[in-house]
Coordinates of all heavy atoms in Angstrom, one line a residue:
M23 N 82.2 110.2 95.6 CA 81.2 111.1 95.4 C 80.7 111.0 93.9 O 81.5 111.1 93.0 CB 81.7 112.5 95.7 CG 80.6 113.6 95.5 SD 81.3 115.1 96.2 CE 80.1 116.2 95.5
A24 N 79.4 110.8 93.7 CA 78.9 110.6 92.4 C 78.7 112.0 91.7 O 78.4 113.0 92.3 CB 77.5 109.9 92.5
T25 N 78.9 112.0 90.4 CA 78.8 113.2 89.6 C 77.7 113.0 88.6 O 77.7 112.0 87.9 CB 80.1 113.5 88.9 OG1 81.1 113.6 89.9 CG2 80.0 114.8 88.2
D26 N 76.8 113.9 88.5 CA 75.7 113.9 87.5 C 76.2 114.7 86.3 O 76.2 115.9 86.3 CB 74.4 114.5 88.1 CG 73.3 114.4 87.1 OD1 73.4 113.7 86.1 OD2 72.2 115.0 87.4
Y27 N 76.6 114.0 85.3 CA 77.1 114.6 84.1 C 76.0 115.2 83.2 O 76.3 116.0 82.3 CB 78.0 113.6 83.3 CG 79.2 113.2 84.0 CD1 79.4 112.0 84.6 CD2 80.3 114.1 84.0 CE1 80.5 111.7 85.3 CE2 81.5 113.8 84.7 CZ 81.6 112.6 85.3 OH 82.7 112.3 86.0
D28 N 74.8 114.8 83.5 CA 73.6 115.4 82.7 C 73.1 116.7 83.3 O 72.3 117.3 82.6 CB 72.5 114.3 82.6 CG 72.9 113.1 81.9 OD1 73.7 113.2 80.9 OD2 72.4 112.0 82.2
A29 N 73.5 117.1 84.4 CA 73.1 118.3 85.1 C 73.6 119.5 84.3 O 74.7 119.4 83.8 CB 73.5 118.3 86.5
P30 N 72.9 120.6 84.3 CA 73.4 121.8 83.6 C 74.6 122.3 84.3 O 74.7 122.3 85.5 CB 72.2 122.7 83.6 CG 71.3 122.2 84.6 CD 71.5 120.8 84.8
R31 N 75.6 122.8 83.5 CA 76.8 123.3 84.1 C 76.6 124.8 84.6 O 75.8 125.5 84.0 CB 77.9 123.3 83.1 CG 78.2 121.9 82.7 CD 79.4 121.8 81.8 NE 79.6 120.4 81.4 CZ 80.8 120.0 81.0 NH1 81.8 120.8 81.0 NH2 80.9 118.7 80.7
K32 N 77.3 125.1 85.6 CA 77.2 126.5 86.2 C 78.2 127.4 85.4 O 79.3 127.0 85.0 CB 77.6 126.5 87.7 CG 76.6 125.7 88.5 CD 77.0 125.8 90.0 CE 76.0 125.0 90.8 NZ 76.2 125.1 92.2
T33 N 77.8 128.7 85.3 CA 78.7 129.6 84.7 C 79.8 130.1 85.7 O 79.7 129.7 86.9 CB 77.9 130.9 84.3 OG1 77.4 131.5 85.4 CG2 76.8 130.5 83.3
D34 N 80.7 130.8 85.2 CA 81.8 131.3 86.1 C 81.3 132.2 87.2 O 81.8 132.1 88.4 CB 82.9 132.1 85.3 CG 83.7 131.1 84.4 OD1 83.8 129.9 84.7 OD2 84.2 131.6 83.4
D35 N 80.3 133.0 86.9 CA 79.7 133.9 87.9 C 79.0 133.1 89.0 O 79.2 133.4 90.2 CB 78.7 134.8 87.3 CG 79.3 135.8 86.4 OD1 80.5 136.1 86.6 OD2 78.6 136.3 85.4
E36 N 78.3 132.0 88.7 CA 77.7 131.2 89.7 C 78.7 130.4 90.5 O 78.6 130.3 91.7 CB 76.8 130.1 89.0 CG 75.5 130.8 88.4 CD 74.7 129.8 87.6 OE1 75.3 128.7 87.2 OE2 73.5 130.0 87.4
L37 N 79.8 130.0 89.9 CA 80.9 129.3 90.6 C 81.5 130.3 91.6 O 81.8 129.9 92.8 CB 81.9 128.8 89.7 CG 81.5 127.6 88.9 CD1 82.6 127.2 87.8 CD2 81.2 126.4 89.7
N38 N 81.8 131.5 91.2 CA 82.4 132.5 92.1 C 81.4 132.8 93.3 O 81.9 132.9 94.4 CB 82.7 133.8 91.4 CG 83.9 133.6 90.5 OD1 84.7 132.7 90.6 ND2 83.9 134.5 89.5
E39 N 80.1 132.9 93.0 CA 79.2 133.1 94.1 C 79.2 132.0 95.1 O 79.1 132.2 96.3 CB 77.8 133.4 93.5 CG 77.6 134.7 92.8 CD 76.3 134.8 92.1 OE1 75.4 133.9 92.3 OE2 76.1 135.7 91.3
D40 N 79.2 130.8 94.6 CA 79.2 129.6 95.4 C 80.4 129.6 96.3 O 80.4 129.3 97.5 CB 79.2 128.3 94.6 CG 77.8 128.1 94.0 OD1 76.8 128.7 94.4 OD2 77.7 127.2 93.1
S41 N 81.6 129.9 95.7 CA 82.8 129.8 96.5 C 82.8 130.9 97.6 O 83.3 130.7 98.7 CB 84.0 129.9 95.6 OG 84.0 131.1 94.9
L42 N 82.3 132.1 97.3 CA 82.3 133.1 98.3 C 81.3 132.8 99.4 O 81.7 133.0 100.6 CB 81.8 134.5 97.6 CG 82.8 135.2 96.7 CD1 82.2 136.4 96.1 CD2 84.0 135.6 97.5
E43 N 80.2 132.2 99.1 CA 79.3 131.8 100.1 C 79.9 130.7 101.0 O 79.8 130.7 102.3 CB 78.0 131.2 99.5 CG 77.2 132.3 98.9 CD 76.0 131.8 98.1 OE1 75.7 130.5 98.2 OE2 75.3 132.5 97.4
E44 N 80.7 129.8 100.4 CA 81.3 128.7 101.2 C 82.4 129.3 102.1 O 82.6 128.9 103.2 CB 81.9 127.7 100.3 CG 80.9 126.8 99.6 CD 81.5 125.9 98.6 OE1 82.8 125.7 98.6 OE2 80.8 125.3 97.8
L45 N 83.2 130.3 101.6 CA 84.2 131.0 102.4 C 83.6 131.7 103.6 O 84.1 131.7 104.7 CB 85.0 131.9 101.5 CG 86.0 131.3 100.5 CD1 86.6 132.3 99.7 CD2 87.0 130.5 101.2
K46 N 82.5 132.4 103.4 CA 81.8 133.1 104.5 C 81.3 132.1 105.5 O 81.4 132.3 106.7 CB 80.6 133.9 103.9 CG 81.1 135.1 103.1 CD 79.9 135.9 102.6 CE 80.3 137.0 101.7 NZ 79.2 137.7 101.0
A47 N 80.8 130.9 105.1 CA 80.3 129.9 106.0 C 81.5 129.4 106.8 O 81.4 129.1 108.0 CB 79.6 128.8 105.2
R48 N 82.6 129.2 106.2 CA 83.8 128.6 106.9 C 84.3 129.6 107.9 O 84.8 129.3 108.9 CB 84.9 128.3 105.9 CG 84.6 127.0 105.1 CD 85.7 126.7 104.2 NE 85.3 125.7 103.2 CZ 86.0 125.5 102.1 NH1 87.0 126.2 101.8 NH2 85.5 124.6 101.2
R49 N 84.2 130.9 107.6 CA 84.7 132.0 108.5 C 83.9 132.0 109.8 O 84.5 132.1 110.8 CB 84.7 133.3 107.8 CG 85.3 134.4 108.7 CD 85.1 135.8 108.2 NE 85.4 135.9 106.7 CZ 85.0 137.0 106.0 NH1 84.4 138.0 106.6 NH2 85.3 137.0 104.8
T50 N 82.6 131.7 109.7 CA 81.8 131.7 110.8 C 82.0 130.4 111.6 O 81.7 130.4 112.8 CB 80.3 131.9 110.5 OG1 79.9 130.9 109.6 CG2 80.1 133.3 109.8
D51 N 82.4 129.4 111.0 CA 82.6 128.1 111.7 C 84.0 128.2 112.4 O 85.0 128.2 111.8 CB 82.6 126.9 110.6 CG 82.8 125.6 111.3 OD1 82.6 125.5 112.5 OD2 83.1 124.6 110.6
K52 N 83.9 128.2 113.7 CA 85.1 128.4 114.5 C 86.0 127.2 114.6 O 87.2 127.3 114.9 CB 84.7 128.9 115.9 CG 84.1 130.2 115.9 CD 83.8 130.7 117.3 CE 83.4 132.1 117.3 NZ 82.3 132.7 117.2
N53 N 85.5 126.0 114.4 CA 86.2 124.8 114.5 C 86.9 124.4 113.2 O 87.6 123.4 113.1 CB 85.4 123.6 115.0 CG 84.9 123.8 116.4 OD1 85.6 124.4 117.2 ND2 83.7 123.4 116.7
S54 N 86.7 125.1 112.1 CA 87.2 124.6 110.8 C 88.7 124.8 110.7 O 89.4 124.0 110.0 CB 86.6 125.4 109.7 OG 86.9 126.8 109.8
G55 N 89.3 125.7 111.5 CA 90.8 125.9 111.4 C 91.5 125.1 112.4 O 92.8 125.0 112.4
K56 N 90.9 124.4 113.3 CA 91.6 123.6 114.3 C 91.9 122.2 113.8 O 91.2 121.6 113.1 CB 90.7 123.5 115.6 CG 90.5 124.8 116.3 CD 89.7 124.6 117.5 CE 89.4 125.9 118.2 NZ 88.6 125.7 119.4
V57 N 93.1 121.8 114.3 CA 93.6 120.4 113.9 C 93.6 119.6 115.2 O 94.2 120.0 116.2 CB 95.0 120.5 113.3 CG1 95.5 119.1 113.0 CG2 94.9 121.3 112.0
D58 N 93.0 118.4 115.2 CA 93.0 117.6 116.4 C 94.2 116.7 116.4 O 94.1 115.5 116.2 CB 91.7 116.8 116.4 CG 90.5 117.6 116.6 OD1 90.6 118.7 117.1 OD2 89.4 117.2 116.1
E59 N 95.4 117.3 116.7 CA 96.6 116.5 116.7 C 97.5 117.0 117.9 O 97.6 118.1 118.1 CB 97.4 116.6 115.4 CG 98.6 115.8 115.4 CD 99.3 115.8 114.0 OE1 98.7 116.2 113.0 OE2 100.5 115.6 114.0
D60 N 97.9 116.0 118.7 CA 98.8 116.3 119.8 C 100.2 116.6 119.3 O 100.8 115.7 118.7 CB 98.8 115.2 120.8 CG 99.6 115.5 122.1 OD1 99.9 116.7 122.3 OD2 99.8 114.6 122.8
E61 N 100.7 117.8 119.5 CA 102.0 118.2 119.0 C 103.1 117.4 119.6 O 104.1 117.0 118.9 CB 102.2 119.7 119.2 CG 101.3 120.6 118.4 CD 101.5 122.1 118.7 OE1 102.5 122.4 119.5 OE2 100.8 122.9 118.2
A62 N 103.0 117.1 120.8 CA 104.1 116.3 121.5 C 104.1 114.9 120.9 O 105.2 114.4 120.7 CB 103.8 116.3 123.0
E63 N 103.0 114.4 120.7 CA 102.9 113.0 120.2 C 103.5 113.0 118.7 O 104.2 112.0 118.3 CB 101.5 112.5 120.2 CG 101.3 111.0 119.9 CD 99.9 110.6 120.1 OE1 99.3 110.8 121.1 OE2 99.4 110.1 119.1
A64 N 103.2 114.0 117.9 CA 103.6 114.0 116.6 C 105.1 114.3 116.5 O 105.8 113.8 115.6 CB 102.9 115.1 115.8
A65 N 105.7 115.0 117.5 CA 107.1 115.3 117.4 C 108.0 114.2 117.9 O 109.2 114.2 117.7 CB 107.4 116.6 118.3
E66 N 107.4 113.2 118.5 CA 108.2 112.1 119.1 C 108.9 111.3 118.0 O 110.1 110.8 118.2 CB 107.4 111.1 119.9 CG 107.0 111.7 121.2 CD 106.1 110.7 122.0 OE1 105.8 109.6 121.5 OE2 105.6 111.1 123.1
G67 N 108.4 111.2 116.8 CA 108.9 110.4 115.7 C 110.0 111.1 114.9 O 110.7 110.5 114.1
F68 N 110.2 112.4 115.2 CA 111.2 113.2 114.4 C 112.5 113.3 115.0 O 112.6 113.5 116.2 CB 110.6 114.6 114.1 CG 109.4 114.7 113.3 CD1 108.2 115.2 113.8 CD2 109.4 114.2 112.0 CE1 107.1 115.2 113.0 CE2 108.3 114.3 111.2 CZ 107.1 114.8 111.7
E69 N 113.6 113.1 114.3 CA 114.9 113.3 114.8 C 115.4 114.7 114.3 O 115.4 115.0 113.1 CB 115.8 112.2 114.3 CG 115.6 110.9 114.9 CD 115.9 110.8 116.4 OE1 116.8 111.5 116.8 OE2 115.3 110.0 117.1
L70 N 116.0 115.5 115.2 CA 116.5 116.7 114.8 C 117.9 116.6 114.3 O 118.7 115.7 114.7 CB 116.5 117.7 116.0 CG 115.1 118.0 116.6 CD1 115.3 118.8 117.9 CD2 114.3 118.7 115.6
P71 N 118.3 117.4 113.3 CA 119.7 117.4 112.9 C 120.7 117.7 114.0 O 120.5 118.5 114.8 CB 119.8 118.5 111.8 CG 118.4 118.8 111.5 CD 117.6 118.5 112.7
G72 N 121.8 116.9 114.1 CA 122.7 117.0 115.1 C 122.3 116.4 116.4 O 123.0 116.6 117.4
A73 N 121.3 115.5 116.4 CA 120.9 114.9 117.6 C 121.9 113.8 118.0 O 122.6 113.3 117.2 CB 119.5 114.2 117.4
D74 N 122.1 113.6 119.3 CA 123.0 112.6 119.8 C 122.5 111.2 119.6 O 121.6 110.8 120.2 CB 123.3 112.9 121.3 CG 124.3 111.9 121.9 OD1 125.1 111.4 121.1 OD2 124.3 111.7 123.1
L75 N 123.1 110.5 118.7 CA 122.7 109.1 118.3 C 123.8 108.1 118.7 O 123.9 107.0 118.3 CB 122.4 109.0 116.9 CG 121.3 109.9 116.3 CD1 121.2 109.7 114.8 CD2 120.0 109.6 117.0
S76 N 124.7 108.5 119.7 CA 125.8 107.7 120.1 C 125.4 106.4 120.7 O 126.1 105.4 120.7 CB 126.8 108.5 120.9 OG 126.1 108.9 122.1
N77 N 124.3 106.4 121.4 CA 123.8 105.2 122.1 C 122.9 104.3 121.2 O 122.6 103.2 121.6 CB 122.9 105.6 123.3 CG 123.8 106.3 124.4 OD1 125.0 106.0 124.4 ND2 123.2 107.1 125.2
E78 N 122.7 104.7 120.0 CA 121.9 104.0 119.0 C 122.7 103.0 118.3 O 123.9 103.2 118.1 CB 121.2 104.9 118.0 CG 120.2 105.9 118.6 CD 119.0 105.2 119.2 OE1 118.5 104.2 118.7 OE2 118.6 105.7 120.3
E79 N 122.2 101.8 118.0 CA 122.9 100.8 117.3 C 122.2 100.4 116.0 O 120.9 100.3 116.0 CB 123.0 99.6 118.2 CG 124.0 98.6 117.7 CD 124.2 97.5 118.8 OE1 124.5 97.8 119.9 OE2 124.1 96.3 118.4
L80 N 122.9 100.3 114.9 CA 122.3 100.0 113.6 C 122.9 98.6 113.2 O 124.1 98.4 113.1 CB 122.7 101.1 112.6 CG 122.1 100.9 111.2 CD1 120.6 100.9 111.2 CD2 122.7 101.9 110.3
S81 N 122.0 97.7 112.9 CA 122.4 96.4 112.4 C 121.9 96.2 111.0 O 120.7 96.2 110.7 CB 122.0 95.3 113.3 OG 120.5 95.3 113.4
V82 N 122.8 96.1 110.0 CA 122.5 95.9 108.6 C 123.3 94.7 108.2 O 124.5 94.5 108.4 CB 122.9 97.1 107.8 CG1 122.7 96.9 106.3 CG2 122.2 98.3 108.3
R83 N 122.6 93.8 107.5 CA 123.2 92.6 106.9 C 123.7 92.9 105.5 O 122.9 93.2 104.6 CB 122.2 91.4 106.9 CG 122.8 90.1 106.8 CD 121.8 89.0 106.9 NE 121.7 88.4 105.6 CZ 120.7 87.7 105.2 NH1 119.6 87.6 105.9 NH2 120.6 87.2 104.0
V84 N 125.0 92.8 105.3 CA 125.6 93.1 104.0 C 125.9 91.8 103.3 O 126.5 90.9 103.8 CB 126.9 94.0 104.2 CG1 127.5 94.2 102.8 CG2 126.6 95.2 104.9
L85 N 125.4 91.8 102.1 CA 125.6 90.6 101.2 C 126.7 90.9 100.2 O 126.7 91.9 99.7 CB 124.3 90.2 100.5 CG 123.1 89.8 101.4 CD1 121.9 89.5 100.5 CD2 123.5 88.5 102.2
P86 N 127.5 89.9 99.9 CA 128.5 90.1 98.8 C 127.8 90.1 97.5 O 126.7 89.7 97.3 CB 129.4 88.9 99.0 CG 128.6 87.9 99.7 CD 127.7 88.6 100.5
R87 N 128.5 90.7 96.5 CA 127.9 90.8 95.2 C 127.6 89.4 94.6 O 128.5 88.5 94.7 CB 128.9 91.5 94.2 CG 128.3 91.8 92.9 CD 129.2 92.5 92.0 NE 130.4 91.7 91.7 CZ 131.6 92.2 91.5 NH1 131.8 93.5 91.6 NH2 132.6 91.4 91.3
Q88 N 126.5 89.2 94.1 CA 126.0 87.9 93.6 C 126.6 87.7 92.2 O 127.1 88.6 91.5 CB 124.5 87.8 93.6 CG 123.9 88.1 94.9 CD 124.3 87.0 96.0 OE1 124.1 85.8 95.7 NE2 124.8 87.5 97.1
A89 N 126.5 86.4 91.7 CA 127.0 86.1 90.4 C 126.3 86.8 89.3 O 126.8 87.0 88.2 CB 126.9 84.6 90.2
D90 N 125.0 87.1 89.5 CA 124.2 87.8 88.4 C 124.2 89.3 88.6 O 123.3 90.0 88.0 CB 122.8 87.3 88.3 CG 122.0 87.5 89.6 OD1 122.7 87.8 90.7 OD2 120.8 87.4 89.6
E91 N 125.2 89.9 89.3 CA 125.3 91.3 89.5 C 126.6 91.8 89.1 O 127.6 91.1 89.0 CB 125.0 91.6 91.0 CG 123.7 91.3 91.6 CD 123.5 91.5 93.0 OE1 124.5 91.4 93.8 OE2 122.4 91.7 93.5
F92 N 126.7 93.2 88.9 CA 127.9 93.8 88.5 C 128.0 95.2 89.2 O 127.0 95.7 89.6 CB 128.1 94.0 87.0 CG 127.1 95.0 86.4 CD1 127.6 96.3 86.1 CD2 125.8 94.7 86.1 CE1 126.8 97.2 85.6 CE2 125.0 95.6 85.6 CZ 125.5 96.9 85.3
T93 N 129.2 95.7 89.3 CA 129.4 97.0 89.9 C 129.7 98.0 88.7 O 130.6 97.8 87.9 CB 130.6 97.1 90.9 OG1 130.3 96.1 91.9 CG2 130.7 98.4 91.5
C94 N 128.9 99.1 88.6 CA 129.1 100.1 87.6 C 130.4 100.8 87.8 O 130.7 101.2 89.0 CB 127.9 101.0 87.6 SG 128.0 102.3 86.3
S95 N 131.1 101.0 86.8 CA 132.4 101.7 86.9 C 132.2 103.3 87.0 O 133.2 103.9 87.3 CB 133.3 101.4 85.8 OG 132.8 101.8 84.5
R96 N 131.1 103.8 86.8 CA 130.8 105.2 86.9 C 130.2 105.6 88.2 O 130.6 106.5 88.9 CB 130.0 105.7 85.7 CG 130.8 105.6 84.4 CD 130.0 106.3 83.3 NE 130.8 106.2 82.1 CZ 130.3 106.5 80.9 NH1 129.0 107.0 80.8 NH2 131.0 106.4 79.8
C97 N 129.0 104.9 88.6 CA 128.3 105.3 89.8 C 128.7 104.4 91.0 O 128.3 104.7 92.1 CB 126.8 105.3 89.6 SG 126.1 103.6 89.2
F98 N 129.4 103.3 90.7 CA 129.9 102.4 91.7 C 128.7 101.7 92.5 O 128.9 101.3 93.6 CB 130.8 103.1 92.7 CG 132.0 103.6 92.0 CD1 132.1 105.0 91.8 CD2 133.0 102.9 91.5 CE1 133.2 105.6 91.2 CE2 134.1 103.4 90.8 CZ 134.2 104.8 90.7
L99 N 127.6 101.6 91.9 CA 126.4 100.9 92.5 C 126.4 99.5 91.9 O 126.8 99.2 90.8 CB 125.1 101.6 92.2 CG 124.9 103.0 92.8 CD1 123.6 103.6 92.3 CD2 124.9 102.9 94.3
V100 N 125.9 98.6 92.7 CA 125.7 97.2 92.3 C 124.4 97.0 91.6 O 123.4 97.4 92.2 CB 125.9 96.2 93.5 CG1 125.6 94.8 93.0 CG2 127.2 96.4 94.1
H101 N 124.4 96.5 90.4 CA 123.1 96.4 89.6 C 123.0 94.9 89.2 O 124.0 94.2 89.1 CB 123.2 97.3 88.4 CG 123.2 98.7 88.6 ND1 122.1 99.4 88.9 CD2 124.2 99.6 88.6 CE1 122.4 100.7 89.1 NE2 123.7 100.8 88.9
H102 N 121.8 94.6 88.8 CA 121.6 93.2 88.2 C 122.1 93.3 86.8 O 122.2 94.3 86.1 CB 120.1 92.9 88.2 CG 119.8 91.5 87.8 ND1 119.4 91.2 86.5 CD2 119.8 90.4 88.5 CE1 119.3 89.9 86.4 NE2 119.4 89.4 87.6
R103 N 122.5 92.1 86.3 CA 123.0 92.0 84.9 C 122.1 92.6 83.8 O 122.5 93.0 82.8 CB 123.4 90.6 84.5 CG 124.6 90.1 85.2 CD 125.8 90.5 84.4 NE 127.0 90.0 85.0 CZ 128.2 90.5 84.7 NH1 128.4 91.4 83.8 NH2 129.3 90.0 85.3
S104 N 120.8 92.6 84.1 CA 119.8 93.1 83.1 C 120.0 94.6 83.0 O 119.5 95.2 82.0 CB 118.4 92.8 83.6 OG 118.1 93.4 84.8
Q105 N 120.7 95.3 83.9 CA 120.9 96.7 83.8 C 122.2 97.1 83.1 O 122.5 98.3 82.9 CB 121.0 97.3 85.2 CG 119.6 97.2 85.9 CD 118.6 98.1 85.3 OE1 118.8 99.2 84.9 NE2 117.4 97.5 85.1
L106 N 123.0 96.1 82.6 CA 124.2 96.3 81.9 C 124.0 96.9 80.6 O 123.3 96.4 79.7 CB 125.0 95.0 81.8 CG 126.4 95.1 81.1 CD1 127.3 96.0 81.9 CD2 127.0 93.7 81.0
A107 N 124.5 98.1 80.3 CA 124.3 98.8 79.1 C 125.5 98.7 78.1 O 125.4 98.6 76.9 CB 124.0 100.3 79.3
A108 N 126.7 98.8 78.7 CA 127.9 98.8 77.9 C 129.1 98.3 78.7 O 129.1 98.3 79.9 CB 128.2 100.2 77.4
E109 N 130.1 97.9 77.9 CA 131.4 97.5 78.5 C 132.5 98.1 77.6 O 132.6 97.8 76.5 CB 131.5 96.0 78.5 CG 132.8 95.5 79.1 CD 132.9 94.0 79.2 OE1 131.9 93.3 78.8 OE2 133.9 93.5 79.6
K110 N 133.2 99.0 78.3 CA 134.3 99.8 77.6 C 135.6 99.5 78.3 O 135.8 99.8 79.4 CB 134.0 101.3 77.5 CG 132.8 101.6 76.7 CD 132.6 103.1 76.7 CE 131.3 103.5 76.0 NZ 131.0 104.9 76.0
D111 N 136.5 98.9 77.6 CA 137.9 98.6 78.1 C 137.8 97.8 79.4 O 138.5 98.0 80.3 CB 138.7 99.9 78.3 CG 138.9 100.7 77.1 OD1 139.0 100.0 76.0 OD2 138.9 101.9 77.1
G112 N 136.8 96.8 79.5 CA 136.7 96.0 80.6 C 135.9 96.7 81.8 O 135.7 96.1 82.8
Q113 N 135.5 97.9 81.5 CA 134.7 98.7 82.5 C 133.2 98.5 82.2 O 132.8 98.8 81.1 CB 135.0 100.2 82.5 CG 136.5 100.5 82.7 CD 136.9 100.2 84.2 OE1 136.2 100.4 85.1 NE2 138.1 99.6 84.3
L114 N 132.5 98.0 83.2 CA 131.0 97.8 83.1 C 130.3 99.0 83.4 O 130.6 99.7 84.4 CB 130.6 96.6 83.9 CG 131.3 95.3 83.7 CD1 130.8 94.3 84.8 CD2 131.1 94.8 82.3
I115 N 129.3 99.4 82.6 CA 128.5 100.6 82.7 C 127.0 100.3 82.8 O 126.5 99.6 81.9 CB 128.8 101.6 81.6 CG1 130.3 102.0 81.6 CG2 128.0 102.9 81.8 CD1 130.7 102.8 80.4
C116 N 126.3 100.8 83.7 CA 124.9 100.5 83.9 C 124.1 101.4 82.9 O 124.6 102.3 82.3 CB 124.4 100.8 85.3 SG 124.4 102.5 85.8
A117 N 122.8 101.0 82.8 CA 121.9 101.7 81.8 C 121.7 103.1 82.3 O 121.5 104.0 81.4 CB 120.6 101.0 81.7
E118 N 121.7 103.4 83.6 CA 121.4 104.8 84.0 C 122.6 105.7 83.7 O 122.4 106.9 83.5 CB 121.2 104.8 85.5 CG 119.9 104.1 85.9 CD 119.7 104.0 87.4 OE1 120.5 104.6 88.2 OE2 118.8 103.3 87.8
C119 N 123.8 105.2 83.7 CA 125.0 106.0 83.5 C 125.3 106.1 82.0 O 126.1 107.0 81.6 CB 126.2 105.5 84.2 SG 126.1 105.6 86.0
A120 N 124.8 105.2 81.2 CA 125.2 105.1 79.7 C 124.5 106.3 79.0 O 123.6 106.9 79.4 CB 124.7 103.8 79.1

């Protein structure tokens, strides 16, 4: 939406009047509060807490730690060597934990 920056600005009173008129127009518009969404279709993608997932199978490929990675001794996450901040007593510490 283009904005005309050279147009005269409205005062606070004019802005309040405009917004009241818009609200009154919306109140008379009966379709403004309706949402065109099928609730059943939207709910299909959601999983409820405690749902039975015993028949579901998860396959994740786990890779061993690479030569250019290290495990932080505080958060136990595997990071790239560029994230190494300190080494104390042989313990490697990442930049986030340092």
